[in-house]
Amino acid sequence: MSHSSRLGLLRDPAFGRLSAATALGQLGDRITFLALPLVAIAALDADEFQVGLLTAMTTAGSLLVGLPAGAWVDRIRKRPVLIGTDLIRALLLLTIPVAYWAGLLTIWWLYEIALVHGALTAFFDVAYASYLPHVVGRGNLVEGNSKLSAIRSVTSISGPTVAGPLVGLAGAPATLLVSSAGMAMSALLAISIRKPEQKPQPIAHPRLGREIKEGLRFVSTHPTLRAIMLGDAVFNLFLAMYQSMLLVYLERELGFQPFGIGLILSGMGCGALLGALMATTISKRIGNGRVICFTALVTCPPALLMPLARPGWSAYVAAIGLATLSLGGVVRVVAQSSFQQALTPDRLLGRMSATARFVSWGGIPLGGLLGGASGSVFGATGALWVGAAGMTLSVLPSLLSPLRTPAARTDPAD
């Protein structure tokens, strides 16, 4: 295979800049994922319920604006949304170390930042999913999603690897300076994308409620999109429950320091990277529909190894289970993102993405609260057990849908 063949879409300047922006933004995001809860745990001595509530607040803001975000994004060009939300999120994260050094930081400050940050992330993600088909074309969606997933996976490895030592050396609040810088640089790269973007046709009599209903109707009446959406909702509910207690479990039950936690999370990133590299091949061989259908059934049960772990070597064996969970998650997301984008007309891309995101992410705040509540009652170990079992059961909507049939073997764009 030639060098240019391996590069594929990366030879395109617009996609190359989008990829670089993705790498920097995701690096900042992954560092935030580790550092923000550690600010609450280490700097503010937050208890299990407060950590779970912080997880819930991170996605609650996203849900509050999720459906309107899709309708608004469908009316305008997408690149300015990416730039603006990156810059504002960078400024928000910057306030945390500043407040900490000024002696003003409280758990309520973190809740507020998490809420607004999540709302801005909803706009960013909807615009991002709608912008990709414009940059790469519908015939290249699987390759585009796969390459971007590979980039996100690399940052999943490097983010915690960088964040762990930084937290240990400078403290969790100062580490968020790196997150802020990553998002600011992502915005600058997005500014440099020169590919002309056609402005959407104006709606004669725009009505936000009617536009939202149109997106809801399209997704809810399509059996394939509906199954993907419901499966994601169940998965994300229990994933949030699991993740809300994972850092608590690693620090307080297994005795890991920030560097060790970073290594565990980097292992998850390695699994995600492997999944991104395998995603296109797996989808071509068995079909996107079957990938969406069966991946969670195979790769979620190994997450049960973590609550079985004890301090020592078994914790690192359990980390392999987390890497397997990440591998399967990326393979599934690449398949279903390509499937969703290919099934949706351009004028509805924003609303489809927003509707699917709203429903799929609807259980995340509840999952964070359930994780915190169950952690308070049963300990972090009990919350991990329930979370892993629930993620495995998320296959049911897909297994009962047309996704498992031979007709769903390939991408609908093919």
Side-chain angles (χ1 to χ4, degrees), residues 365-410:
L366 178 60
L369 291 173
L370 287 175
S374 61
S376 298
V377 176
F378 305 111
T381 304
L384 295 183
W385 275 103
V386 176
M391 286 187 284
T392 304
L393 293 175
S394 69
V395 302
L396 291 177
S398 296
L399 289 175
L400 299 174
S401 78
L403 283 166
R404 71 183 190 281
T405 64
R409 284 177 183 269
T410 58

Side-chain angles (χ1 to χ4, degrees), residues 216-289:
L216 282 168
R217 189 182 307 112
F218 175 73
V219 175
S220 63
T221 57
H222 196 294
T224 302
L225 294 179
R226 185 173 63 242
I228 292 172
M229 184 174 60
L230 293 177
D232 258 3
V234 176
F235 179 86
N236 287 328
L237 168 70
F238 288 101
L239 177 63
M241 187 175 182
Y242 192 96
Q243 287 184 327
S244 68
M245 289 298 102
L246 179 59
L247 293 181
V248 176
Y249 180 80
L250 290 172
E251 187 194 57
R252 296 179 181 172
E253 300 293 333
L254 298 185
F256 277 94
Q257 297 301 310
F259 181 74
I261 294 174
L263 286 179
I264 295 290
L265 297 182
S266 293
M268 294 179 69
C270 289
L273 176 59
L274 183 59
L277 296 174
M278 296 168 60
T280 301
T281 301
I282 292 173
S283 292
K284 286 180 178 178
R285 288 188 177 181
I286 67 174
N288 282 335

Side-chain angles (χ1 to χ4, degrees), residues 16 22 50 64 69 97 100 110 116 123 129 138 140 155 181 192 201 203 243 249 284 312 314 337 354 357 365 376 385:
T22 299
Q50 288 174 318
L64 289 174
Y100 177 73
L110 293 185
V116 179
F123 280 94
R138 288 178 173 270
N140 295 312
T155 61
S192 71
Q201 291 293 327
I203 300 172
Q243 287 184 327
Y249 180 80
K284 286 180 178 178
S314 64
S337 296
R357 192 179 190 277
S376 298
W385 275 103

Side-chain angles (χ1 to χ4, degrees), residues 14-62:
F15 184 75
R17 290 187 176 95
L18 181 63
S19 300
T22 299
L24 288 167
Q26 287 292 314
L27 180 63
D29 190 60
R30 296 309 298 175
I31 293 174
T32 302
F33 175 79
L34 176 65
L36 190 61
L38 287 177
V39 172
I41 294 169
L44 300 178
D45 198 27
D47 59 30
E48 285 85 354
F49 182 77
Q50 288 174 318
V51 175
L53 183 57
L54 181 61
T55 301
M57 295 296 283
T58 302
T59 50
S62 175

Side-chain angles (χ1 to χ4, degrees), residues 331-344:
V331 170
R332 180 177 58 85
V333 165
V334 168
Q336 73 182 30
S337 296
S338 305
F339 215 92
Q340 289 170 316
Q341 290 162 343
L343 285 169
T344 306

Side-chain angles (χ1 to χ4, degrees), residues 17 20-29 31-32 79-94 117 124 176-192:
R17 290 187 176 95
T22 299
L24 288 167
Q26 287 292 314
L27 180 63
D29 190 60
I31 293 174
T32 302
R79 189 172 67 102
V81 179
L82 303 180
I83 296 166
T85 51
D86 260 344
L87 289 174
I88 298 172
R89 288 187 297 170
L91 289 173
L92 283 174
L93 291 174
L94 189 60
H117 189 279
F124 179 90
L176 289 171
L177 291 173
V178 180
S179 299
S180 177
M183 290 187 177
M185 293 173 68
S186 172
L188 293 176
L189 277 165
I191 290 172
S192 71

